[in-house]
Amino acid sequence: MGSNQAAVSFLTNLARAALGLGASATLLNSSLYTVDGGQRAVLFDRFRGVIDDTIGEGTHFLIPWLQKPYIFDIRTRPHTFSSISGTKDLQMVNLTLRVLSRPEVNKLPAIFKTLGLEYDEKVLPSIGNEVLKAVVAQFNADQLLTERPHVSALVRDSLIRRAKDFNIVLDDVAITHLSYGAEFSKAVEQKQVAQQEAERSKFVVAKAEQERRAAIIRAEGESESAKLISDATAAAGMGLIELRRIEASREISATLARSGNVMYLPNTGTQMLLGLNPSR
């Protein structure tokens, strides 16, 4: 009987010890929290509100129920958003902007108070559209292509200043896509066709001018040649013409002599050339 009571008492004490150990472990676990690499924590106290100190990496203590940690990712993250904006000449342009952002570490308590954990999703799309519309409105549609580096620099500087008002740091801002509306694309195509037609017309005019000059030069040459022949004839009589006729006859005779299809037949009064076709 005494041994049973001792066993019961031992088991009871063991259960109490296990219960106390479990409660202690639970309390200890709830009193600890871990901040991983690339993260920071902001501590909320039920009595004091958000504590102004930012908590770094590692394992830290807190008062259970009274305090609660909120973890922020401070690594640079990409964000992409699009905007349809109007240019100075009233053309609609579709732009896509990519930014690399991160929060200011020492301003995390203020960010948590005003914006919460999803601060970037609340701020960046709105200020990005605002800056894009303001910058694009300063340029004509064609200038967005010819002056793209200048446009990108204006967008980057303006967006960095706006993001700083919300304690957000932008490491990079880039315009990744730019396209025009259907009407502007059609107008550009028509302009290119008109320019090609103008260039073709210039070529036709230049060609006609060159042909006119060539005709004038050729006519002047023929006139000069005729004048020289006339002067030579006047000076030497008909001998020059007879000489040219003899030279022409010699060339014709040489050509006919090399042809196998021509026969020369002497006659009493005239001479006759017969063309013979050997295939017949």
Side-chain angles (χ1 to χ4, degrees), residues 31-99:
S31 301
L32 298 175
Y33 67 97
T34 301
V35 180
D36 294 330
Q39 295 180 340
R40 294 294 185 272
V42 172
L43 203 60
F44 173 75
D45 189 283
R46 291 183 182 272
F47 294 146
R48 294 181 296 170
V50 178
I51 298 175
D52 292 335
D53 296 330
T54 301
I55 301 170
E57 303 169 358
T59 300
H60 306 274
F61 288 95
L62 58 77
I63 302 175
W65 182 83
L66 187 63
Q67 296 177 331
K68 182 179 180 180
Y70 290 89
I71 307 298
F72 279 85
D73 188 350
I74 63 170
R75 290 169 290 194
T76 300
R77 294 190 295 175
H79 299 274
T80 303
F81 46 88
S82 300
S83 174
I84 299 178
S85 306
T87 61
K88 188 177 181 180
D89 54 352
L90 305 180
Q91 298 293 334
M92 301 308 297
V93 182
N94 185 11
L95 298 106
T96 300
L97 196 67
R98 178 192 58 80
V99 299

